[in-house]
Amino acid sequence: IFAVYEALCANQPPMASQVGRYRDWLVRQRQLLAGPRGASLRAHWEGVLEDAPAAPALPGTLYAEPRHRGAEIEFHLTPQQTNGLRELATRLEASVFVVMLALFKTVLHRASGEDDFLVGTPTAGRSGAQSADLIGFTLNTVPLRANFSANPAFAAVVRDCARQMRGALRHQQYPLARMGGEGALLRHMTTFVPVGPRNVLGRYLMREYLATQRGAANDMNLRWQDEGERLRGQWRYDADRFEAQGVQRLVATLRAAVDAVLDNADARV
């Protein structure tokens, strides 16, 4: 995007190559989905979603007519908690995001008492050199299965999340909408924004910001931003489905879970 901006400022064609253009990507995507690779991608997600249960029934869930009114509760983990989670991720050979994904699943499990459920997370929806300079919307949400039936240790939950994410990234090109629709499949989401700011082209400084919640596309979406010294969380929720006090209890459960896994990641969840 910054390269296009500079080209436009210099009155030059913004893109010299046809390879990265969005319409070309759409053609390649349609061809991929219509062929053997598309069938293989679909088979993977059919396996993930086989006999998938409904969203976990969390305490305090309201059953009013949804109007998609969004609300959010913002909080920070302490520097000590943040550093501890980084060290835990390194020890378990996982990313910080995977550890936070495991914590999100653990909190939903503890709050609902349910062992088997789905959560979602967004991916780029593309891969390969041909898409490296692509400008356009390719985002794809992928479903991830939680399974606590064997009462695993938290470290085992992290390893399972890492395994699932590797599989999800290998199969991220298959649109979730083709599996029955994002809204029907995923009620709870989690998102991770990496640390910023970042240098671009040696001339620009780029930083991501978490915007204020306007609406509610999902029942809940726990979003994290890595601010370096601390992890900043935004627990977004549908105000027609949950009350603020209930979400605050989930945040408290999350904080307690962080302290517990930092004390002993090999303890049963």
Side-chain angles (χ1 to χ4, degrees):
I1 291 176
F2 285 97
V4 170
Y5 167 76
E6 289 191 337
L8 291 172
C9 289
N11 292 321
Q12 297 175 352
M15 301 187 75
S17 171
Q18 297 286 329
V19 175
R21 293 201 172 177
Y22 189 55
R23 64 172 178 267
D24 297 327
W25 178 84
L26 290 172
V27 170
R28 294 196 302 271
Q29 184 74 351
R30 283 194 293 269
Q31 293 171 343
L32 179 145
L33 295 177
R37 175 59 176 162
S40 175
L41 293 173
R42 182 178 179 88
H44 170 82
W45 292 118
E46 286 177 339
V48 172
L49 297 171
E50 184 178 4
D51 299 323
L58 297 171
T61 302
L62 305 175
Y63 295 97
E65 184 69 23
R67 290 172 289 172
H68 306 292
R69 295 185 303 114
E72 66 189 19
I73 293 176
E74 186 171 308
F75 60 97
H76 285 85
L77 298 184
T78 67
Q80 293 77 17
Q81 289 173 321
T82 300
N83 289 334
L85 291 170
R86 293 192 200 284
E87 292 171 1
L88 178 61
T90 300
R91 179 160 63 85
L92 297 178
E93 299 181 330
S95 66
V96 176
F97 164 69
V98 164
V99 173
M100 305 316 290
L101 171 63
L103 277 165
F104 184 53
K105 287 183 177 181
T106 299
V107 169
L108 293 180
H109 162 64
R110 288 183 176 180
S112 67
E114 297 183 24
D115 294 334
D116 185 13
F117 52 88
L118 294 171
V119 299
T121 194
T123 64
R126 54 177 167 155
S127 59
Q130 282 187 313
S131 302
D133 60 350
L134 177 67
I135 298 177
F137 185 85
T138 65
L139 191 71
N140 187 34
T141 301
V142 294
L144 304 169
R145 196 91 174 239
N147 186 353
F148 290 88
S149 59
N151 190 23
F154 181 74
V157 179
V158 172
R159 294 188 183 100
D160 185 61
C161 286
R163 178 191 60 80
Q164 288 191 53
M165 278 305 305
R166 289 192 295 269
L169 292 174
R170 288 194 300 269
H171 299 85
Q172 63 179 308
Q173 289 173 286
Y174 197 88
L176 181 63
R178 290 195 171 203
M179 301 301 298
E182 183 173 324
L185 288 174
L186 301 175
R187 307 294 289 271
H188 303 303
M189 297 275 296
T190 188
T191 311
F192 191 87
V193 180
V195 67
R198 299 198 300 273
N199 187 282
V200 181
L201 298 178
R203 296 179 291 280
Y204 303 101
L205 201 61
M206 183 174 71
R207 179 189 293 272
E208 294 88 354
Y209 291 94
L210 296 183
T212 302
Q213 174 81 324
R214 299 290 185 184
N218 311 95
D219 280 10
M220 288 188 176
N221 185 356
L222 177 56
R223 304 188 70 213
W224 293 101
Q225 184 170 36
D226 189 341
E227 296 183 337
E229 182 178 325
R230 300 185 302 174
L231 287 173
R232 172 189 174 194
Q234 281 184 330
W235 203 307
R236 298 179 164 187
Y237 61 97
D238 187 333
D240 296 313
R241 298 277 291 168
F242 299 95
E243 294 180 340
Q245 296 91 329
V247 180
Q248 288 168 346
R249 285 193 292 270
L250 290 174
V251 173
T253 301
L254 172 67
R255 291 186 185 277
V258 169
D259 290 335
V261 302
L262 292 181
D263 181 62
N264 184 7
D266 293 318
R268 303 286 178 177
V269 297

